[in-house]
């Protein structure tokens, strides 16, 4: 007799034909090893004991039963399948779901106590951020302006915006017009950090700063690490790192490395990073009526690897480094509520401001270049 003490047990009440249920159960039990999965019928209940299960196989088995016993699709076996499908925690191995002991080797004894003893985000707990959030004057809301963000953002009060989403110039040497790209690294980071200091100041307590950045692989400059180090030194919580998989296989890398030799291999990268920081608190309060992320989106997007194609219309817009709207949509819906204030201090062609407006958020976009401001304003039309 197999002990099913730890098994997940699913119960379905049914008034379905007893004869068909018993026949169906017997066919299913014949098809699966009892130690993995079995069904029982008593009173008016079907009980499923689930340890390990190939759901596709179970579904096929049910289809066969439906044919053999002339049973319609609204039968209790399908109900059992649906209930098992809705169990959120399981492991996966060789196409089967493992519902019992799947994370045994990863279980830590007294986990909560250990977290309390060692502390979370130790580098940011002694911050001096004020918890008092301030209103942003209405006349500053919902605009796209031309200016240097280091200067322009100074007019905003402390703790007044919910989300900053941006992608700074990466110092590749691209042609942005007003902004000089490809300068000395110390000068580059000096300027960037002055703008980021303003970003930290204007972010609300509990607000988020989200930075899309591509390390300069060819120069061995890990910009994403240097930026994270800066934010952590300034007491921001490093809350997430999302890998934006662009599947961008265009670069001809071997030109810089050794071919087929360990002397100096050059590796290929097809992705960028999205670094997410929280100010003071991981929680950002908001009204539940202002949540607009769908169940399916949430489920997919909390997996921190996002497959999104790069922006294809940069030539059309005449901007050399746009990110795609899909990326902005995910960041904005996952990290902010409707009616929140979203700011992009390197707004470029205005992808952030366009998506923020479309998603019913307030927005502010700043860019050094007046021609990009015009472009960003143009993109707001017809929304
Ligand atoms: C990587 S692009 C941003 C592109 C944007 N995410 C999009 O989808 O179009 C960086 C932008 O920062 C702007 N920029 C550079 N230095 C700036 C500064 N000090 N203040 C404001 N904008 C600046 C550049 O003109 C450029 O358009």
């Amino acid at each position: 007799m197999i002990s099913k003490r730890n098994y997940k047990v699913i119960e379905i009440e049914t008034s379905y034909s007893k004869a068909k249920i018993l026949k169906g159960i017997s066919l299913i039990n014949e098809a699966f090893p009892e130690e993995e999965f079995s069904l029982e019928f008593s009173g008016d209940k079907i009980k499923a004991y689930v340890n390990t299960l190939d759901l596709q196989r179970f579904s096929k088995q049910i289809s066969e039963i439906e044919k053999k016993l002339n049973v319609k699709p609204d039968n209790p076996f399908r109900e059992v399948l649906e209930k098992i499908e809705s169990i959120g925690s399981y492991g996966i191995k060789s196409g089967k779901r493992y519902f019992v002991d799947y994370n045994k080797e990863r279980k830590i004894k007294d986990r909560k106590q250990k977290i309390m003893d060692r502390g979370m985000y130790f580098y940011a707990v002694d911050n001096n951020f004020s918890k008092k959030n301030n209103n942003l004057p209405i006349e500053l809301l919902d605009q796209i302006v031309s200016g240097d963000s280091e200067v322009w953002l100074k007019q905003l009060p402390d703790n007044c915006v919910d989300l900053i989403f941006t992608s700074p110039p990466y110092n590749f040497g691209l042609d942005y017009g007003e902004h000089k790209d490809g300068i000395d690294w110390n000068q580059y980071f000096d300027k960037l950090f002055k703008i980021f200091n303003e970003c930290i100041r204007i972010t609300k307590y509990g607000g988020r700063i989200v930075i899309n950045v591509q390390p300069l692989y060819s120069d061995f400059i890990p910009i994403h690490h240097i930026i994270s180090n800066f934010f952590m030194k300034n007491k921001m919580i490093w809350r997430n790192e999302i890998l934006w998989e662009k599947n961008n296989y265009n670069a001809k890398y071997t030109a810089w490395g050794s071919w087929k030799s360990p002397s100096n291999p050059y590796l290929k990268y097809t992705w960028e990073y999205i670094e997410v920081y929280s100010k003071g608190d991981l929680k950002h309060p908001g009204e539940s009526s202002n949540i607009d992320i769908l169940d399916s989106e949430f489920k997919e997007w909390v997996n921190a690897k996002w497959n999104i194609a790069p922006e294809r219309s940069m030539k059309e817009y005449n901007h050399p480094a746009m990110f795609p709207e899909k990326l902005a949509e995910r960041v904005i819906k996952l990290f902010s509520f409707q009616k929140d204030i979203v700011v992009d201090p390197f707004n470029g062609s205005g992808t952030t401001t366009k998506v923020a407006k479309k998603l019913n958020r307030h927005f502010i976009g700043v860019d050094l270049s007046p021609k990009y401001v015009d472009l960003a304003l143009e993109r707001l039309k017809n929304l």
Side-chain angles (χ1 to χ4, degrees), residues 170-292:
Y170 301 156
N171 211 24
F172 278 158
L174 293 177
D175 185 5
Y176 285 111
E178 316 298 311
H179 165 75
K180 264 197 158 213
D181 205 42
I183 56 172
D184 170 77
W185 281 107
N186 287 314
Q187 274 178 359
Y188 168 81
F189 283 115
D190 188 51
K191 178 72 184 175
L192 194 62
F193 293 162
K194 281 181 178 148
I195 295 174
F196 284 163
N197 268 328
E198 282 306 305
C199 290
I200 295 174
R201 184 186 64 76
I202 63 173
T203 298
K204 282 182 184 169
Y205 194 85
R208 283 86 187 248
I209 299 183
V210 182
I211 312 282
N212 160 227
V213 57
Q214 181 173 4
L216 203 59
Y217 299 114
S218 60
D219 292 11
F220 306 96
I221 309 279
I223 307 178
H224 59 320
H225 292 312
I226 297 172
I227 288 177
S228 281
N229 213 11
F230 165 83
F231 277 107
M232 285 155 68
K233 268 194 186 143
N234 285 284
K235 307 295 172 195
M236 294 289 286
I237 304 166
W238 177 82
R239 67 170 295 141
N240 304 108
E241 180 173 76
I242 296 161
L243 195 148
W244 170 22
E245 177 55 270
K246 298 161 74 177
N247 288 312
N248 195 357
Y249 289 94
N250 293 332
K252 298 175 187 117
Y253 289 105
T254 44
W256 287 306
S258 61
W259 167 246
K260 242 184 120 193
S261 156
S263 73
N264 187 18
Y266 193 88
L267 306 189
K268 294 184 183 204
Y269 303 85
T270 57
W271 58 88
E272 297 193 12
Y273 292 96
I274 316 289
E275 304 289 331
V276 187
Y277 312 96
S278 275
K279 181 168 164 181
D281 198 333
L282 292 168
K283 278 201 182 134
H284 174 55
E287 301 277 333
S288 56
S289 57
N290 285 327
I291 296 171
D292 57 353

Side-chain angles (χ1 to χ4, degrees), residues 140-182:
L140 292 175
L141 274 181
D142 302 331
Q143 55 169 336
I144 299 175
V145 293
S146 163
D148 176 350
S149 280
E150 183 194 343
V151 180
W152 197 90
L153 294 176
K154 288 208 192 310
Q155 67 191 295
L156 306 192
D158 295 353
N159 291 25
C160 69
V161 309
D162 301 277
L163 172 68
I164 291 181
F165 177 41
T166 198
S167 176
Y170 301 156
N171 211 24
F172 278 158
L174 293 177
D175 185 5
Y176 285 111
E178 316 298 311
H179 165 75
K180 264 197 158 213
D181 205 42

Side-chain angles (χ1 to χ4, degrees), residues 147-149 167-169 176 179 191 195 319 321-323 344-351 366-369 372:
D148 176 350
S149 280
S167 176
Y176 285 111
H179 165 75
K191 178 72 184 175
I195 295 174
H319 189 287
M322 296 164 67
F323 51 52
D344 189 339
F346 298 102
N347 195 42
S349 68
T351 313
V366 187
D367 201 281
L368 210 48
S369 193
Y372 296 144

